[in-house]
């Protein structure tokens, strides 16, 4: 039954990868915490590590099938991508050393603060200043129609933010899009472009985070609980999530759904609320 649930959540991670740029990220964390509940306090550490692996594959695949003109918005973003990678490695190392309980609450608190910021501060639910060439407000434009809007540093994101974004995303397992999509949105990008560009940014930080997680020491409690791990990664959970996600990504990248820009933004915020509720339910 756990495997079937993971497959179902995998389908959801595929949807969120394409629609919201999450790559699996924080959507995967609650379900892996639930699936590996036998690990006790170590379940959160395993969940963030497994999330990193899922993000690498999902975000990498989504990036590979993204039209080149859309990715051109990241031209000149090498420093940002490098600092995201550095931050991702540091965040994953910190997650291995930090107590799992506080990390679990920090995850929930961070997502809640992000949701509050999206709802209360102008610029996300409705862009303040649509950039030249951006998709129309109803989202009917082509996926790459505002691809030329990226400024040096990566689609309007200052390179200096790379390290802290990567560190926080890897430490909490939330995925880079929870930080990058709101920033790109407030820079004037449509939701379609912001979420599409979030995938290569997520890949940059998740790749070193996944490497650190796979090479880490397995928690002794895993053997006692009968949970096979590679480093701190649960390959069973990761495999089931990816098996559900990858076909969805392949289909939706070929036939992307047409969603109004404001509806897209509200759906992003709603999904954050659902994840908060799921984490609180697990702690109840």
């Amino acid at each position: 039954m756990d495997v079937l649930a993971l497959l179902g959540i995998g389908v959801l991670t595929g949807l969120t990868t394409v629609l919201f740029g999450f790559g699996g990220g924080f959507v995967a964390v609650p379900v892996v915490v639930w699936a590996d509940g036998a690990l006790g306090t170590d379940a959160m550490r395993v969940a963030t590590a497994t999330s990193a692996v899922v993000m690498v594959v999902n975000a990498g695949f989504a990036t590979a099938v993204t039209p080149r003109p859309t990715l051109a918005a990241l031209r000149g973003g090498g420093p940002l991508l490098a600092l995201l990678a550095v931050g991702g490695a540091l965040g994953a190392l910190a997650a291995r050393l930090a107590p799992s309980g506080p990390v679990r609450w920090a995850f929930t608190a961070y997502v809640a603060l992000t949701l509050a910021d999206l709802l209360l501060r102008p610029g996300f639910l409705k862009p303040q200043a649509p950039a030249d060439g951006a998709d129309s407000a109803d989202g009917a434009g082509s996926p790459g129609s505002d691809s030329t809007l990226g400024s040096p540093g990566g689609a309007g994101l200052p390179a200096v933010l790379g390290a802290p974004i990567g560190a926080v995303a890897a430490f909490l397992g939330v995925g880079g899009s929870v930080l990058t999509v709101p920033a790109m949105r407030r820079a004037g990008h449509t939701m379609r472009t912001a979420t599409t560009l979030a995938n290569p940014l997520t890949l940059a930080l998740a790749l070193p985070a996944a490497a650190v997680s796979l090479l880490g020491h397995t928690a002794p409690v895993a053997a006692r609980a009968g949970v096979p791990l590679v480093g701190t990664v649960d390959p069973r959970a990761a495999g089931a999530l990816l098996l559900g996600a990858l076909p969805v990504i392949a289909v939706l990248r070929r036939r992307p759904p047409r969603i109004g820009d404001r509806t897209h933004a509200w759906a992003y915020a709603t999904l954050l609320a659902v994840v908060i509720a799921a984490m609180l339910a697990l702690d109840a």
Side-chain angles (χ1 to χ4, degrees):
M1 185 61 69
D2 285 1
V3 174
L4 291 177
L6 288 167
L7 284 169
I9 297 297
V11 172
L12 177 60
T13 64
L15 287 169
T16 61
T17 297
V18 175
L19 297 181
F20 306 114
F22 291 144
F26 74 88
V27 177
V29 169
V31 73
V32 177
V33 168
W34 164 76
D36 288 338
L39 296 178
T41 57
D42 283 323
M44 184 64 188
R45 183 175 292 109
V46 170
T48 57
T50 304
S51 170
V53 172
V54 171
M55 284 191 291
V56 166
V57 180
N58 281 346
F61 182 54
T63 299
V65 296
T66 296
R68 300 304 100 180
T70 303
L71 294 179
L74 294 176
R75 187 177 294 118
L80 173 66
L81 296 174
L83 288 173
L84 282 169
V86 171
L90 294 176
L93 286 170
R96 285 173 51 186
L97 302 174
S100 292
V103 172
R104 187 162 171 170
W105 280 108
F107 174 96
T108 306
Y110 182 81
V111 177
L113 288 172
T114 300
L115 176 59
D117 177 70
L118 300 186
L119 296 176
L120 299 176
R121 192 157 65 97
F124 180 82
L125 295 177
K126 181 180 180 181
Q128 293 182 9
D132 294 338
D135 292 347
S136 61
D138 64 0
S142 64
S145 59
D146 64 344
S147 62
T148 60
L149 300 177
S151 61
L157 288 174
V160 70
L161 295 180
I165 286 175
V168 171
F171 182 72
L172 299 179
V174 296
S177 67
V178 180
L179 297 97
T180 60
V181 168
M184 287 190 285
R185 178 75 166 161
R186 290 193 168 100
H189 289 289
T190 62
M191 280 297 295
R192 178 177 293 182
T193 295
T195 55
T196 299
L197 295 179
N199 281 307
L201 298 177
T202 295
L203 178 61
L205 70 90
L207 192 58
V212 169
S213 299
L214 288 167
L215 297 174
H217 296 293
T218 301
V221 71
R224 297 195 297 270
V227 179
L229 299 180
V230 177
T232 51
V233 173
D234 183 345
R236 179 200 61 165
L241 289 169
L242 292 170
L243 189 61
L246 293 178
V248 176
I249 296 172
V251 170
L252 292 185
R253 271 289 183 254
R254 287 178 175 272
R255 298 179 180 275
R258 301 172 71 86
I259 303 174
D261 191 65
R262 189 170 297 187
T263 300
H264 202 165
W266 273 105
Y268 185 101
T270 300
L271 189 56
L272 293 183
V274 170
V275 171
I276 294 167
M279 289 300 290
L280 292 175
L282 288 171
D283 287 320

